[in-house]
Amino acid sequence: MSIAQSPASKPIGRDLADARHDRAFKWAITAVAVFVLFTLAGAALSMLWGGRSVLFSQGADFFFSSDWNPVENKYGALVPIYGTVVTAVIAMLIAVPVSFGIAFFLTEVAPRWLRTPVGTAIELLAGVPSIIYGMWGFFVLMPVMRDSVIPWLNDHLGPLPVIGALFQGPPIGAGMLTSGLVLAIMVVPFISSVMREVFLTVPGRLKESAYALGSTRWEVVWDIVLPYTRSAVIGGVFLGLGRALGETMAVAFVIGNNVVFTKSLLEPSTTIAALIANDFGEATDDYRAALLLLGFVLFIVTFVVLAAARLMLLQLARKEGN
């Protein structure tokens, strides 16, 4: 007389199929991640390979020289690198406080019926094409800068020691300060949307407890909301910074596209993206190689900024864990 085998001891076909599907899904996700890494590395290396002739001929002078003269095949990337960094810093100095104020208003001050439409309107600004911002900056902002802002800065901040050289220049309107203002307007929707969403994730009990102890709205946001959402807020700020570093058309309209080095924020300059966009179509072989090498430099700058943001977030996570 044979004893029937229990169902639990029999191989279950569904479990085997699930295991196969899990392995296939794991390998598919791994392949996607590897593909993204290879794509990024391929894009960077292709630009580096395209600019190898200029890198070999110029050497380290390419990164530290301000002499940009395609006629004599002399290429120094200091001016576009300086313009890229300065315009992005100006944009963040303006955009971060404004974005924080918007998020603070929408989460703590504005009535509930007003929060959704205002928040939606700000988020829609992120969908406006960059060329529209550039045209607005060229036709609206530049005349205001030329007629009102730059003369005031020359008269009041220009004579000051140390920082006075940053605010001296002819009333042209185009320059790094104008570009920074346009970039600030462009990145505000990104940063403010992230801040607003993460502020809404703070448990209501924490804020209500602080209010019950007599805290003001500012104290609640500064002492409760910001520490609770610090990592996400910093991530949103660096997201906006990455957007500002790579912006092309809006900056090309208002920066003046001048490759002569100047410390003044009021004089025309250029950025890496604007220089590539303006000159790549008509560039010869050597000049095209220099522009490709500039693209590689922009890739490295952006990668370093985002990597620094990631490391900062990891350190904050460790501190919060401790």
Side-chain angles (χ1 to χ4, degrees), residues 26-57:
K26 176 184 177 180
W27 284 111
I29 296 299
T30 303
V32 170
V34 172
F35 173 76
V36 172
L37 293 178
F38 272 105
T39 302
L40 292 176
L45 293 177
S46 64
M47 289 185 289
L48 180 61
W49 180 256
R52 67 190 184 280
S53 60
V54 174
L55 184 61
F56 291 151
S57 62

Side-chain angles (χ1 to χ4, degrees), residues 220-244:
V220 168
V221 172
W222 189 257
D223 296 328
I224 303 297
V225 176
L226 272 181
Y228 190 88
T229 61
R230 179 171 48 191
S231 299
V233 168
I234 293 176
V237 170
F238 277 94
L239 174 65
L241 178 57
R243 178 76 169 84

Side-chain angles (χ1 to χ4, degrees), residues 10-22:
K10 296 180 180 179
I12 301 178
R14 182 175 178 179
D15 293 341
L16 295 177
D18 290 343
R20 288 195 301 268
H21 294 161
D22 288 340

Side-chain angles (χ1 to χ4, degrees), residues 14-279:
R14 182 175 178 179
D15 293 341
L16 295 177
D18 290 343
R20 288 195 301 268
H21 294 161
D22 288 340
R23 287 194 298 269
F25 181 74
K26 176 184 177 180
W27 284 111
I29 296 299
T30 303
V32 170
V34 172
F35 173 76
V36 172
L37 293 178
F38 272 105
T39 302
L40 292 176
L45 293 177
S46 64
M47 289 185 289
L48 180 61
W49 180 256
R52 67 190 184 280
S53 60
V54 174
L55 184 61
F56 291 151
S57 62
Q58 303 288 129
D61 291 339
F62 178 82
F63 305 99
F64 302 105
S65 173
S66 60
D67 186 10
W68 187 272
N69 191 345
V71 177
E72 300 179 359
N73 285 332
K74 294 181 179 179
Y75 305 102
L78 182 61
V79 173
I81 292 175
Y82 177 76
T84 300
V85 174
V86 170
T87 53
V89 170
I90 294 173
M92 300 312 295
L93 289 176
I94 299 172
V96 171
V98 172
S99 300
F100 174 78
I102 292 173
F104 176 71
F105 173 78
L106 292 178
T107 56
E108 301 295 331
V109 178
R112 293 188 178 276
W113 61 269
L114 187 61
R115 296 178 182 179
T116 300
V118 173
T120 303
I122 294 173
E123 291 175 356
L124 289 176
L125 291 176
V128 177
S130 60
I131 194 172
I132 302 301
Y133 286 105
M135 295 174 64
W136 173 84
F138 185 83
F139 290 107
V140 178
L141 184 59
M142 278 180 56
V144 174
M145 298 291 292
R146 180 180 63 246
D147 299 335
S148 301
V149 178
I150 292 179
W152 187 91
L153 293 175
N154 272 313
D155 295 338
H156 294 82
L157 299 183
L160 297 178
V162 182
I163 65 171
L166 299 176
F167 301 100
Q168 295 176 355
I172 298 176
M176 290 183 284
L177 181 60
T178 307
S179 301
L181 291 172
V182 173
L183 286 176
I185 297 173
M186 294 182 64
V187 301
V188 159
F190 295 94
I191 303 176
S192 62
S193 296
V194 173
M195 287 187 177
R196 173 174 173 261
E197 293 300 325
V198 298
F199 284 0
L200 292 175
T201 62
V202 179
R205 294 180 179 179
L206 292 178
K207 296 190 290 185
E208 292 171 1
S209 300
Y211 284 128
L213 294 174
S215 300
T216 63
R217 288 178 175 175
W218 171 256
E219 290 173 339
V220 168
V221 172
W222 189 257
D223 296 328
I224 303 297
V225 176
L226 272 181
Y228 190 88
T229 61
R230 179 171 48 191
S231 299
V233 168
I234 293 176
V237 170
F238 277 94
L239 174 65
L241 178 57
R243 178 76 169 84
L245 287 171
E247 180 52 44
T248 304
M249 293 309 300
V251 175
F253 269 87
V254 298
I255 198 169
N257 303 304
N258 184 22
V259 291
V260 177
F261 183 81
T262 176
K263 293 187 295 183
S264 175
L265 304 179
L266 309 180
E267 295 184 11
S269 185
T270 190
T271 64
I272 295 176
L275 184 59
I276 294 174
N278 286 325
D279 295 355

